[in-house]
Amino acid sequence: MPAFRQVGEKQLPQEVVFMSWSPKRDLIALANRAGEVLLHRLANFQRVWSLPPNENTGKEVTALAWRPDGKILAFGLADTKRIILCDVEKPESLHSFSVDLSITYMHWMEVTEENSVLTSFYNAEDESNLLLPKLPALPKNYSATAKIFSEEKSDEIMKLLGDVRLNALVLGGSSGFIEIYAYGMFKIATVNGVAGSCRGLCLSSDLKSLSVITEIQSSSDSEAEITYFQLDTSLLSSYLPEVTRMARKFTHISTLLQYIKLSLTCMCEAWEEILMQMDSRLTKFVQEKNTTTSVQDEFMQLLLWGKASLELQALLMNQLTVKGLKKLGQSIESSYSSIQKLVISHLQSGSEALLYHLSELKGMALWKQKYESLGLDASGIDEAITAVGSFILKANELLQVIDSSMKNFKAFFRWLYVAMLRMSEDHVLPELNKMTQKDITFVADFLTEHFNEAPELYNRKGKYFNVERVGQYLKDEDDDLVSPPNTEGNQWFNFLKDSTHLKESPLLFPYYPEKSLHFVKRQMEGIIDQCLQKPADVIGKSVHQAVCLSLYKISPSEDSTPQLFKLPFLWNDKTSNLHYVLFTMLENSISKIHILRRHTDTSRSVSNGILAVEFGNFLNNSINESSDSRCYSCLDAHFYDDETVTVVLKESVQQEGKERVLAQLPLSSVYTDEDEDRKFIWDSMERLDERSSEIPTRTVFLESQWRVLENMKAQYVSVNGIRKVSCVLSSNLRHVRVFEMDVEDDGEVEEEEEEETTQIAAGEPDEPNQPADGQDNVCDASAEELPDEIEEHETSLDP
């Protein structure tokens, strides 16, 4: 019986350029050349969901990474230079942000370092949960939120926070671009000093060092040079508790900004274009009427004498109509009520929570002994707090405008409805017919204030009137408000105007009466982003280069290979605090795998250790015994776990039908002599491939942990040692096979499946489950038997 059990096989319609296993579930994420991101389950390689490319996000996926808890998938897009965070349960973006350069690699790691301060922080309940009311769930009846939030619950935005334990998304791009994002949300470091385009990244779990592989190319026709950098990130490690607390605050702030943004988007949707109908009808009336009487006078005459001109009658009865007036009144009441609820329950709640977290961040910044070295600036945070205060003031102003508009429109429409019924000689109910002198004065004031013709407004907005005053606050534009609130006679404004000292007081939030809510929100976002940018710059400047090693050159012809599948591959051994680099170099027509290891603590005087590995003959049936023992070239290699490397091998003998082999390489068979890899004397002035013959070589004869990949031109592999699975991809990038790697644990697997079934029966579907019986199994089908394109059926993560 061959090692490893095949559990799935598929021919895909598009070429796969990236694949990455979920760290916690039997799911694999793929990205193809068409720009589509797909999620497949282990069993039968069935598709769970797909996220097609679009203009807003982008069409050219250049990197994939899973959050360590497996709940969020991140991917980078080259054409829009955006990073998208997607919920594993649903193919929709939860959060996105822009970067300066296109991303070529991303790595999402979790800090495993433990100490008493961190443990108490991890175990303590977040004080904000005790002191702040829970944020109301965003309504899912708007298009902005319906695609993101499920029917049962709509607080998925909070999923962005994840676990308290610090995790970091490290992005690498062209021109030495490297940035670190705490919890995948907020930038805590911008790293400089690395040359070339990033090919691989690995931040150590103790945050002491960052290993980077870059491709440096001096000109378009020259050979690119692969270089290894080890960067010292000891500031992050030394201030780990402080970095964790600060990063957690940053993530809270970033999540709340996203919450406020979505709330405002829902408010914009609640405001309907029908509300502009009164403005457009009146403008048309002005353009078409033959009399010199103003619109305001026309309505005043109707109010005072109960008589309307023929033109006004035509406007009211033929264009507006009684039915249209009722519909307009209902729309205004419904729309304004929805916006009012969103402001009170969501916008104000989110803003107050934002104010709380920024105030806490300011307190941290004032503790200079702990946080000054990380670049927290109290004065910058003060500006951010002030900006949030201004946003809250503008939201309150909008509430006042909504309240007065609802009262005004209600009185105006009630009077106009009765007047139109009289014009049509319909019966008017007695309760509608009653109108006091106070009501008449109220409507007269409304007509005086809102029905003035404004020619300058026509030049700006193409209309003469601005009867509807709420919509202007929701416009995302830099122009001043068409009808700002009237502050004349306001005692507080007059008092501030006369008091020069109080006007400049830091205790008072600045007020922008001429600006829209959208404008003030954008201003707030810019100030918050600017104030939280300083730690990223300070921490980034503290990162310095510890090691720079030139490895080898690659020819321009190799550049057609997808970026994901280009070795080297980086790995961090959390137990022994080592960085491993896997790469291949050609020697005597054999592509040997080389293993470079470095300690994560750059201050330790540990020399570079490197070994070359060649594979002895273990396919006795397929090759001659007299053949050279070094008969396998390594096509791809990835760390399966801290003790094992998974490799794809190819027979190197000159004969047809070369076999491809999937194998497990135990590091114990490589490092039999602990110091053997230290024997090679490095010269930083020379490239490693120029001295490849001097590198110590270990010949390994695999015994049982290998399997011939029949009828498949295997080229690349992606593995997950936690879930004990691997996915092999052919050289044409369309044919995949999935394997369970530890077949001796069948009994344990069955027990786990039974436990999962029990959990599901109890209503706890924590993980994706195996598909229902009766689904086609293509495990034993060969590549020739599979069609070029198989129609895929999407399945749900839940049973």
Side-chain angles (χ1 to χ4, degrees):
M1 179 180 175
F4 323 138
R5 179 172 60 197
Q6 183 175 323
V7 294
E9 183 168 18
K10 188 81 81 175
Q11 287 277 5
L12 300 173
Q14 295 284 347
E15 292 182 355
V16 173
V17 290
F18 293 94
M19 56 184 182
S20 177
W21 282 101
S22 165
K24 297 294 184 183
R25 298 179 172 188
D26 292 334
L27 297 169
I28 187 169
L30 307 176
N32 58 33
R33 284 210 191 277
E36 191 177 19
V37 177
L38 308 106
L39 193 67
H40 286 257
R41 67 167 79 250
L42 172 65
N44 290 353
F45 209 72
Q46 281 192 313
R47 188 167 69 187
V48 178
W49 56 249
S50 66
L51 182 62
N54 64 68
E55 297 293 337
N56 296 329
T57 55
K59 299 182 179 180
E60 189 182 343
V61 181
T62 54
L64 279 178
W66 286 92
R67 195 167 74 180
D69 64 2
K71 293 180 180 178
I72 299 286
L73 174 68
F75 56 94
L77 297 140
D79 47 343
T80 56
K81 297 185 179 65
R82 293 193 70 78
I83 307 299
I84 310 295
L85 302 188
C86 185
D87 186 0
V88 68
E89 301 287 346
K90 209 171 183 183
E92 294 294 340
S93 167
L94 277 181
H95 180 67
S96 66
F97 56 90
S98 298
V99 288
D100 294 333
L101 295 168
S102 60
I103 298 302
T104 55
Y105 195 89
M106 57 171 62
H107 165 67
W108 208 332
M109 54 75 67
E110 185 175 57
V111 176
T112 57
E113 194 75 5
E114 295 283 358
N115 61 47
S116 57
V117 178
L118 273 176
T119 304
S120 63
F121 176 65
Y122 292 153
N123 296 332
E125 187 174 357
D126 189 347
E127 285 185 356
S128 62
N129 293 333
L130 302 173
L131 300 173
L132 293 172
K134 186 179 178 183
L135 287 177
L138 284 161
K140 52 185 176 290
N141 53 334
Y142 298 103
S143 62
T145 53
K147 292 180 180 179
I148 300 175
F149 304 131
S150 63
E151 292 298 321
E152 300 81 15
K153 50 185 179 178
S154 55
D155 59 349
E156 277 89 342
I157 193 74
M158 294 299 114
K159 281 186 181 178
L160 290 168
L161 288 172
D163 297 329
V164 179
R165 182 179 292 276
L166 180 63
N167 60 70
L169 177 62
V170 192
L171 307 177
S174 54
S175 306
F177 174 85
I178 298 173
E179 290 184 340
I180 303 174
Y181 286 77
Y183 300 104
M185 291 280 291
F186 223 99
K187 183 164 57 178
I188 57 167
T190 303
V191 180
N192 300 304
V194 175
S197 178
C198 180
R199 288 270 298 267
L201 284 168
C202 187
L203 181 61
S204 65
S205 58
D206 57 6
L207 295 184
K208 288 184 177 178
S209 70
L210 172 65
S211 284
V212 186
I213 298 286
T214 67
E215 180 181 322
I216 303 172
Q217 192 164 16
S218 54
S219 62
S220 58
D221 56 346
S222 63
E223 290 184 320
E225 191 170 293
I226 301 299
T227 307
Y228 169 74
F229 294 90
Q230 187 175 13
L231 306 174
D232 185 335
T233 57
S234 54
L235 180 67
L236 288 173
S237 177
S238 304
Y239 288 88
L240 181 55
E242 291 76 22
V243 168
T244 304
R245 286 177 181 274
M246 183 178 76
R248 193 68 181 168
K249 281 295 166 198
F250 282 9
T251 312
H252 270 293
I253 290 165
S254 190
T255 305
L256 286 167
L257 287 172
Q258 176 76 347
Y259 180 85
I260 290 170
K261 180 183 176 183
L262 284 171
S263 299
L264 195 51
T265 305
C266 291
M267 287 166 56
C268 293
E269 282 192 42
W271 185 85
E272 302 171 24
E273 286 296 328
I274 192 174
L275 307 185
M276 298 292 292
Q277 198 177 82
M278 183 63 77
D279 293 345
S280 58
R281 298 277 190 208
L282 292 175
T283 299
K284 189 177 180 183
F285 177 60
V286 169
Q287 293 170 336
E288 294 177 355
K289 72 184 179 73
N290 297 319
T291 61
T292 56
T293 312
S294 70
V295 173
Q296 186 187 82
D297 290 343
E298 293 266 7
F299 275 92
M300 281 291 191
Q301 286 177 14
L302 178 62
L303 174 66
L304 297 176
W305 314 119
K307 292 183 179 180
S309 66
L310 294 175
E311 289 180 324
L312 183 58
Q313 284 187 43
L315 168 71
L316 296 177
M317 303 308 296
N318 300 335
Q319 296 185 35
L320 189 58
T321 72
V322 173
K323 189 177 178 181
L325 183 69
K326 287 178 73 174
K327 185 180 177 183
L328 182 59
Q330 289 167 357
S331 297
I332 285 180
E333 187 172 1
S334 169
S335 178
Y336 284 5
S337 297
S338 299
I339 295 171
Q340 197 174 40
K341 287 174 186 173
L342 284 165
V343 174
I344 294 169
S345 60
H346 296 79
L347 215 59
Q348 287 188 331
S349 300
S351 303
E352 287 163 7
L354 190 58
L355 209 54
Y356 167 85
H357 287 292
L358 281 169
S359 300
E360 282 221 321
L361 197 63
K362 181 186 174 184
M364 291 160 62
L366 293 173
W367 194 354
K368 295 189 176 182
Q369 180 187 356
K370 294 279 188 183
Y371 293 96
E372 190 174 37
S373 302
L374 298 175
L376 265 189
D377 178 24
S379 61
I381 298 169
D382 263 332
E383 292 178 10
I385 290 171
T386 301
V388 176
S390 296
F391 180 73
I392 293 173
L393 286 178
K394 182 57 69 172
N396 284 330
E397 180 191 311
L398 176 58
L399 281 178
Q400 292 173 6
V401 172
I402 291 173
D403 189 51
S404 64
S405 294
M406 287 177 77
K407 289 177 183 175
N408 289 336
F409 275 119
K410 195 170 183 179
F412 173 69
F413 283 144
R414 184 171 176 267
W415 161 73
L416 193 58
Y417 178 64
V418 172
M420 290 172 71
L421 286 177
R422 285 175 178 158
M423 286 180 198
S424 59
E425 298 182 352
D426 286 345
H427 175 66
V428 180
L429 295 172
E431 58 268 22
L432 291 176
N433 211 8
K434 294 175 183 176
M435 200 166 182
T436 64
Q437 185 62 42
K438 186 178 179 182
D439 294 334
I440 294 173
T441 306
F442 193 82
V443 174
D445 289 342
F446 175 74
L447 291 172
T448 304
E449 186 179 351
H450 291 75
F451 279 64
N452 275 324
E453 291 178 34
E456 70 280 359
L457 179 61
Y458 186 81
N459 297 330
R460 278 179 61 189
K461 301 291 182 180
K463 60 181 184 178
Y464 287 105
F465 302 91
N466 192 46
V467 178
E468 200 282 319
R469 301 287 171 93
V470 174
Q472 59 182 346
Y473 285 86
L474 305 177
K475 299 289 185 186
D476 191 6
E477 52 190 32
D478 294 334
D479 290 347
D480 289 349
L481 294 178
V482 173
S483 303
N486 185 9
T487 58
E488 287 182 20
N490 187 301
Q491 294 180 353
W492 174 250
F493 274 89
N494 294 336
F495 175 65
L496 280 184
K497 201 178 289 183
D498 297 337
S499 176
T500 53
H501 297 292
L502 193 57
K503 193 162 52 177
E504 303 298 327
S505 171
L507 300 174
L508 296 179
F509 297 138
Y511 174 54
Y512 304 97
E514 305 288 332
K515 297 298 181 183
S516 70
L517 185 66
H518 252 296
F519 178 88
V520 179
K521 187 209 68 149
R522 277 192 284 114
Q523 182 176 268
M524 173 185 74
E525 288 174 335
I527 292 172
I528 291 176
D529 191 47
Q530 189 176 357
C531 103
L532 299 184
Q533 175 66 36
K534 191 176 179 184
D537 295 336
V538 171
I539 294 171
K541 287 174 182 175
S542 75
V543 177
H544 59 273
Q545 182 179 304
V547 175
C548 177
L549 303 170
S550 179
L551 300 180
Y552 57 92
K553 283 197 170 186
I554 55 170
S555 61
S557 61
E558 295 179 42
D559 288 342
S560 59
T561 313
Q563 186 71 37
L564 168 75
F565 307 122
K566 290 182 179 179
L567 287 172
F569 175 74
L570 285 162
W571 177 263
N572 174 46
D573 185 340
K574 302 178 182 68
T575 309
S576 54
N577 292 325
L578 292 171
H579 279 311
Y580 285 93
V581 186
L582 298 178
F583 58 96
T584 58
M585 288 197 301
L586 206 62
E587 184 182 339
N588 299 327
S589 301
I590 302 293
S591 184
K592 286 185 184 179
I593 184 171
H594 291 69
I595 305 176
L596 165 66
R597 61 178 180 177
R598 288 278 309 172
H599 200 280
T600 59
D601 189 349
T602 56
S603 62
R604 290 179 52 166
S605 57
V606 180
S607 60
N608 298 291
I610 188 166
L611 270 179
V613 179
E614 60 186 13
F615 295 90
N617 177 17
F618 51 90
L619 288 179
N620 294 324
N621 296 333
S622 62
I623 354 183
N624 251 322
E625 301 239 345
S626 59
S627 297
D628 191 337
S629 63
R630 295 176 300 164
C631 53
Y632 299 100
S633 278
C634 180
L635 299 176
D636 197 15
H638 283 260
F639 266 87
Y640 180 75
D641 54 32
D642 289 343
E643 300 170 353
T644 314
V645 177
T646 303
V647 293
V648 175
L649 306 174
K650 179 182 74 171
E651 285 184 306
S652 299
V653 290
Q654 299 300 316
Q655 65 179 49
E656 291 186 9
K658 297 176 185 177
E659 298 280 12
R660 304 291 172 105
V661 179
L662 178 67
Q664 295 282 61
L665 171 64
L667 289 184
S668 57
S669 65
V670 177
Y671 292 105
T672 51
D673 178 359
E674 188 61 31
D675 294 325
E676 184 176 359
D677 64 331
R678 311 289 181 193
K679 293 178 182 177
F680 180 74
I681 307 301
W682 288 78
D683 184 353
S684 58
M685 302 301 291
E686 291 183 285
R687 263 196 344 268
L688 187 64
D689 59 353
E690 295 172 350
R691 301 178 56 200
S692 58
S693 58
E694 301 173 34
I695 298 172
T697 302
R698 170 75 60 194
T699 303
V700 176
F701 294 89
L702 300 175
E703 296 178 2
S704 59
Q705 291 294 300
W706 55 272
R707 173 173 178 151
V708 176
L709 301 170
E710 298 172 347
N711 301 317
M712 183 182 190
K713 199 174 178 182
Q715 188 80 17
Y716 311 109
V717 66
S718 178
V719 295
N720 183 349
I722 300 172
R723 306 300 296 182
K724 301 178 181 178
V725 289
S726 69
C727 181
V728 180
L729 183 66
S730 65
S731 56
N732 70 1
L733 307 180
R734 292 190 178 192
H735 183 192
V736 294
R737 280 186 192 168
V738 184
F739 296 93
E740 286 182 351
M741 304 300 281
D742 288 2
V743 291
E744 67 273 15
D745 294 333
D746 283 351
E748 294 178 15
V749 171
E750 287 172 8
E751 287 176 16
E752 287 176 7
E753 288 176 355
E754 286 177 11
E755 287 176 10
E756 286 180 6
T757 307
T758 308
Q759 283 182 350
I760 295 157
E764 297 177 2
D766 290 336
E767 296 188 358
N769 304 292
Q770 302 296 329
D773 293 337
Q775 291 170 335
D776 295 335
N777 192 330
V778 293
C779 296
D780 300 320
S782 67
E784 287 78 17
E785 292 169 338
L786 292 168
D788 289 339
E789 293 190 10
I790 294 179
E791 183 179 351
E792 301 184 21
H793 301 282
E794 296 191 10
T795 63
S796 170
L797 279 176
D798 296 320

